[in-house]
Structures are given as structure tokens and as C-alpha cells.
Amino acid sequence: MIRKLAIAAAMTVATASVASAQDCTAITVEDAFDLDETQINVLYDCLQEKMATGYAKEGDDIGSNYRSWAATATRPAVAGPHGNRLLNTFANDVAAEQYLKFEEEGFEMPIGSVLAKESITVSIKKKAARPGPLFIMTKVGLDEAPDAGGWLYSGLQPNGKVMKVKQSFCHDCHVGWEAQDSLGYPLEEVRVTQ
Ligand code: HEC
């Protein structure tokens, strides 16, 4: 038991300090919530180019451009929903000003707002992290999306292909934040402060 713990500790140090191409996606934790800031930054450094290249692969407009948008968080974080993945949201020009206020009521995002959220899938079983989908919300207005609070939910697979998305699946959860226009926002500790 003690030996096992020692090995685990040694591996954690190795994961945090050596970001080589082979092992930088390795994880030693038993739960995605146990990843600390250093480990998350190592994973993100290791995977971010692969993610961006993958989402852009099929030429999708959002998948090709979201990286030039406003960052809303200082690093990815695990919120729980979205499969315990590490999440990191970007806001386009139309969305950024309002979104970055992280207001809790009394506003509506302007039509044309787009939020694109990178995700990293953390496989406890495989002891490795890999790119997950790019989750997207586009404000199209109530005329076009009366049942989804005026939002169109979509996504790209890590290889850039369009995901099949059931609007009610996404919105049934997001509507829980109805007062803040169905937005979940990044965890408070990683929000970009203006
Ligand atoms: C079980 C609840 C749940 C479901 C289902 C869900 N989401 Fe989310 N979503 C969240 C939470 C919580 C956040 C905020 C946490 C974070 O981003 O760190 C969020 C954030 C987002 C964001 C960033 C904008 C924001 O809300 O701040 C996008 C884009 C997004 N989700 C898209 C989707 C799409 C597309 C689907 C369906 C394929 C979906 N979500 C399904 C809970 C959910």
C-alpha cells in the first residue's frame, strides 16, 4: 500500500513537470475533480493545439475561428455537467461584453452571440486525457428557437465533424439558469476579471 502510494506520488510529480509528447496526457487521479491547477495547465498545454486543429479540420467557421475570440476563463476547469470534462469557453465579438459581466439577472444576450466551449475528456479508466467536443451556443432569438430560450445548441467532434445535438437535451439543463439567459458560466475561481 505504502509502496503504491509512493509510486502514485512520483507519477504525479512526473506528470506535472514533464510535458513530453508521449506522457503529457497521462493522469493519475481517480476522479476528474481531483486534478489540481498545475495538472490542468499541463494537460491544456499538451492538448490545446491538437484540439484547435481538430475542430478546424472540416473548415467549420466557428471551429476555425473561436480561438481568436475573447477568453472567458483563465484555464479549463471541471464543473461537473458535460461529463466531468475540463471546460474552457470563448465568446465571440457580439457576446463578449455582456457575457464577461457574468450577470445573474436582468439581461439578454444579443442575437448573433456565440459561445464555444472546448472540452477535454478525462478517462479515469484509460488514465489519460484527450480532446472532447467543442460545445456551441448561438443566440438566434425566440422566433427561431422558441423552445430553447432563443438559443441554438450545436457541437463539433474532436475531428471537426458536426455533432448530432438534440436541442431539448441541452436546453433542459441550461434552462436551470433561465434568469441569466440560460448561461451556466465558468466556475467563479477561473472567470476572467475585467
Ligand atoms: C446537465 C447539464 C448540462 C447539459 C445537459 C448541457 N450543459 Fe452546457 N453547460 C452546463 C454548465 C453547468 C455549464 C457551465 C460550466 C462551465 O462551462 O464550466 C455549461 C456551459 C455551456 C456552454 C458555455 C456557455 C455558458 O453556458 O456559460 C456552452 C456553449 C454549452 N454549455 C453548450 C451545451 C450544449 C451544446 C449542450 C448539449 C449538447 C449542453 N451544453 C448540455 C450544463 C449543461
Side-chain angles (χ1 to χ4, degrees), residues 100-164:
L100 289 170
K101 292 179 186 163
F102 303 113
E103 276 185 326
E104 291 176 2
E105 58 183 4
F107 74 96
E108 235 182 78
M109 295 296 291
I111 289 181
S113 292
V114 186
L115 302 156
K117 185 165 69 160
E118 297 176 326
S119 72
I120 297 176
T121 302
V122 180
S123 170
I124 301 301
K125 221 169 120 200
K126 293 188 178 152
K127 299 191 185 311
R130 62 175 190 276
L134 184 72
F135 295 98
I136 301 164
M137 289 171 70
T138 303
K139 190 77 179 192
V140 292
L142 282 173
D143 287 348
E144 281 192 47
D147 300 328
W151 289 103
L152 177 70
Y153 294 85
S154 60
L156 295 173
Q157 296 172 25
N159 62 5
K161 297 220 160 79
V162 174
M163 265 168 64
K164 285 202 181 78

Side-chain angles (χ1 to χ4, degrees), residues 39-186:
Q39 290 167 317
I40 289 174
N41 284 330
V42 169
L43 288 177
Y44 193 55
D45 278 355
C46 165
L47 286 172
Q48 58 170 320
E49 280 320 307
K50 190 177 175 189
M51 276 197 282
T53 312
Y55 299 141
K57 211 165 167 191
E58 298 287 317
D60 182 271
D61 196 34
I62 295 171
S64 308
N65 291 306
Y66 76 94
R67 273 300 182 87
S68 64
W69 301 354
T72 72
T74 52
R75 62 166 169 85
V78 182
H82 288 267
N84 282 0
R85 292 185 176 94
L86 287 160
L87 307 171
N88 190 28
T89 297
F90 294 81
N92 76 347
D93 277 357
V94 181
E97 191 184 346
Q98 177 61 51
Y99 188 86
L100 289 170
K101 292 179 186 163
F102 303 113
E103 276 185 326
E104 291 176 2
E105 58 183 4
F107 74 96
E108 235 182 78
M109 295 296 291
I111 289 181
S113 292
V114 186
L115 302 156
K117 185 165 69 160
E118 297 176 326
S119 72
I120 297 176
T121 302
V122 180
S123 170
I124 301 301
K125 221 169 120 200
K126 293 188 178 152
K127 299 191 185 311
R130 62 175 190 276
L134 184 72
F135 295 98
I136 301 164
M137 289 171 70
T138 303
K139 190 77 179 192
V140 292
L142 282 173
D143 287 348
E144 281 192 47
D147 300 328
W151 289 103
L152 177 70
Y153 294 85
S154 60
L156 295 173
Q157 296 172 25
N159 62 5
K161 297 220 160 79
V162 174
M163 265 168 64
K164 285 202 181 78
V165 168
K166 195 173 170 207
Q167 299 301 303
S168 61
F169 168 75
C170 309
H171 193 62
D172 283 355
C173 184
H174 274 259
V175 76
W177 298 280
E178 201 167 11
Q180 51 196 49
D181 204 0
S182 305
L183 296 169
Y185 294 144

Side-chain angles (χ1 to χ4, degrees), residues 12 28-37 39-40 78 122 124:
T12 308
T28 54
V29 293
E30 296 294 324
D31 189 316
F33 283 98
D34 293 340
L35 290 167
D36 65 25
E37 192 175 342
Q39 290 167 317
I40 289 174
V78 182
V122 180
I124 301 301

